[in-house]
Amino acid sequence: MRIERENTRPTTLSAMNDSAQRGNSTETPFIHQLYSVEFVVICCIIYVLIMIASLLGNITVCVVILSTRSLRRSVNACFILSLSVSDLLTTCLVMPFELEQIISDAKWSHGEIMCNVWTTAYLLAVPTSILSLLALSFYRYRTLKDPLDRFKESPLMTRRRAFLIICILWAYSMLFSLAPVLGWKRFSKSVIGGVCFFNITAPYSFMSSVVNFLLPVLAACLINFRMYYVVLKLSRSSLQHDEHRKESQPNTLSKEPENMEELTKSKPIELSVNLLSTKQKHIELNRPQNENTVRRIQQKRNARAAKTTFLIVFSFAFCWLPYTILSMIANICRVCRVCVPPQVFQVLLMMGYLNSAINPILYSFRSLEFKKAVREMMGNKRG
C-alpha cells in the first residue's frame, strides 16, 4: 500500500523533503526527468486500459446489484457492492492523478485542496477494499459452516447488519484517511515546490500499513484457508453419502412391492387408512433426507461462493503486497530507497491498481446469480 508516497520518488521527492526540513518551503527542489519516453508511453497505455476495464466492470456490478431484487437482498452482494464502490473511488480519483504525475514528471498544478483530495482518496480506497473483503470472508466462512443459517428466524448475518458493518468500516476508513488533513501531518503544506506528496508522519505510515493492510490481509487469508479446508471436508463427506445412498437404494426398492401387496389384501376402508398412514410415515421418514438434501445444495452453493471469495482475496494480496512491502522497506531504510529505481515502484503500483479491474471479472464470471441477472437485464432491454 502506498503509505510513504514521498519516498517512492527518490530523485525528486527526497530533495523536496530535505529542503522542507531545512525550512525552505518556498524553495523549488531540482526536478529532473524520472522516466524515459518509452516507459511513460507504456505506463499511459496500461493505465488507460486498467481505468477503462475497471470503470466498465465495477459500474456493471453496481448497476446489476442495485437493479436486481434478489441481489439487493443478498448479504454477499452488499459486501461486493462496497468493494466495487471502493474500486470506483480508486479509478476515478486516484489513478487519473497518478497518470498525470507520470506524464508531468511529478509536477502538481491543481493546488493544495486537490492534492489533499487525491491523497485522502488513496488512503480511503485501500482499507475499505480489504476490510470489505475481510467482512465478506468471515460471512462466507459462517455460511459454509452453517448453510441453513439464513433460513433461521434470527440468522447471524442479515442485510441490515451487513449494511451496518459496511457503514462502520467506511466511517473508520474515512476518519483514518482524514487524520493527516486534520493535523497529523509532517509539514504545514502538502504541495511544496510544485510537487504534491503524501504529507504523513512515520508513525502514521507504519500504523496504516500494519493495521489497515497487513493484519486484515493476514486475517482474510487465514479465514480463506480455513474455508478451503472446510470445502474439502464437505466434498469428501458428500461423496461418501452418495456412495452409501447407492448401496442402500436396492433394499428400499425391494421392500415397496411387499408393502403394496399387503395393502391390496385389506378391505377398502382399511386400505385407504393404511395408505394415508403409510404416506405419512413415508413423509416423516424422508423429512431428514429432504433436509439433508437442502443442506447439501446450500453447501455446494456456499462452497462455490467461498472459492470466489478466496480468488478475490488472493488477487488483492497478490496485487498489493509487493508494493506494500517495498514501500515499508523504503520507509525504514533510506539507502534502500535510493537504490531502488523509481520504475520499480511505478510497476508495482500499477500492479496494485490492476486489482480494481480484476475484481469485477472474478465476481461476474464466478457468480451464477450475477450472470443470470445480467442475462435478464439484457433480455429486458432487447424486449
Side-chain angles (χ1 to χ4, degrees), residues 3 5 30-31 46 56 84 160 164-166 250 270 273 278 282 286 310 317 331 369:
I3 300 302
R5 169 59 188 272
F30 176 73
I31 300 178
I46 295 175
L56 293 177
S84 294
R160 182 175 297 180
L164 179 61
I165 292 173
I166 291 171
E270 295 177 354
V273 174
T278 304
H282 181 72
N286 288 337
F310 177 83
N331 184 31
E369 190 176 9

Side-chain angles (χ1 to χ4, degrees), residues 39-300:
F39 185 81
V40 172
V41 172
I42 294 174
C43 287
C44 290
I45 295 173
I46 295 175
Y47 266 108
V48 170
L49 293 176
I50 292 175
M51 286 189 286
I52 292 175
S54 179
L55 278 176
L56 293 177
N58 288 290
I59 289 176
T60 301
V61 170
C62 293
V63 170
V64 171
I65 291 176
L66 294 176
S67 61
T68 306
R69 184 177 181 182
S70 60
L71 290 177
R72 288 200 307 268
R73 299 173 64 89
S74 171
V75 175
N76 179 70
C78 292
F79 295 118
I80 293 295
L81 182 63
S82 175
L83 180 62
S84 294
V85 172
S86 179
D87 288 336
L88 284 175
L89 178 67
T90 303
T91 306
C92 296
L93 289 181
V94 180
M95 280 192 270
F97 290 114
E98 182 66 41
L99 178 59
E100 184 191 30
Q101 291 290 285
I102 297 174
I103 297 173
S104 65
D105 241 7
K107 297 177 183 177
W108 186 261
S109 59
H110 303 289
E112 182 79 14
I113 295 177
M114 287 307 300
C115 176
N116 290 329
V117 169
W118 176 38
T119 56
T120 302
Y122 174 83
L123 294 173
L124 174 65
V126 174
T128 51
S129 295
I130 186 56
L131 292 177
S132 297
L133 287 177
L134 179 60
L136 177 62
S137 300
F138 179 76
Y139 167 70
R140 273 295 152 207
Y141 177 72
R142 292 294 305 178
T143 54
L144 197 63
K145 293 285 289 183
D146 189 4
L148 302 181
D149 176 70
R150 67 190 184 97
F151 298 107
K152 296 178 180 178
E153 294 183 0
S154 57
L156 176 66
M157 182 64 69
T158 61
R159 186 180 58 171
R160 182 175 297 180
R161 291 175 183 175
F163 182 74
L164 179 61
I165 292 173
I166 291 171
C167 290
I168 292 174
L169 69 88
W170 273 88
Y172 160 77
S173 301
M174 179 66 74
L175 289 175
F176 200 95
S177 62
L178 286 174
V181 179
L182 297 176
W184 195 3
K185 52 188 176 182
R186 188 174 181 182
F187 306 116
S188 59
K189 293 184 178 181
S190 298
V191 179
I192 302 176
V195 177
C196 173
F197 70 103
F198 278 61
N199 193 1
I200 54 180
T201 62
Y204 178 94
S205 172
F206 182 80
M207 185 187 302
S208 184
S209 296
V210 174
V211 176
N212 290 340
F213 185 82
L214 292 180
L215 291 181
V217 166
L218 180 61
C221 289
L222 291 176
I223 293 175
N224 278 273
F225 281 124
R226 179 62 183 173
M227 278 197 297
Y228 182 75
Y229 171 77
V230 174
V231 169
L232 290 179
K233 186 177 179 180
L234 291 175
S235 61
R236 291 173 185 173
S237 62
S238 179
L239 289 174
Q240 292 175 359
H241 181 272
D242 292 338
E243 293 176 358
H244 179 71
R245 184 180 177 184
K246 290 179 181 178
E247 292 176 357
S248 60
Q249 190 172 5
N251 298 329
T252 57
L253 292 174
S254 61
K255 292 179 181 180
E256 289 181 1
E258 297 178 1
N259 295 332
M260 293 301 296
E261 187 176 351
E262 292 176 359
L263 289 172
T264 53
K265 294 179 182 179
S266 304
K267 295 178 181 181
I269 298 177
E270 295 177 354
L271 177 62
S272 60
V273 174
N274 290 332
L275 283 173
L276 289 174
S277 62
T278 304
K279 185 177 181 180
Q280 185 176 359
K281 290 179 180 178
H282 181 72
I283 293 173
E284 291 178 356
L285 289 173
N286 288 337
R287 185 176 298 170
Q289 296 179 1
N290 294 333
E291 291 181 357
N292 290 333
T293 302
V294 174
R295 181 181 293 272
R296 286 198 303 273
I297 293 173
Q298 289 296 325
Q299 283 176 343
K300 288 181 180 180

Side-chain angles (χ1 to χ4, degrees), residues 50 318-320 322 346-355 358:
I50 292 175
F318 178 80
C319 290
W320 279 109
Q346 193 55 242
V347 170
L348 295 183
L349 185 58
M350 283 191 294
M351 240 180 87
Y353 290 143
L354 180 63
N355 180 252
I358 294 176

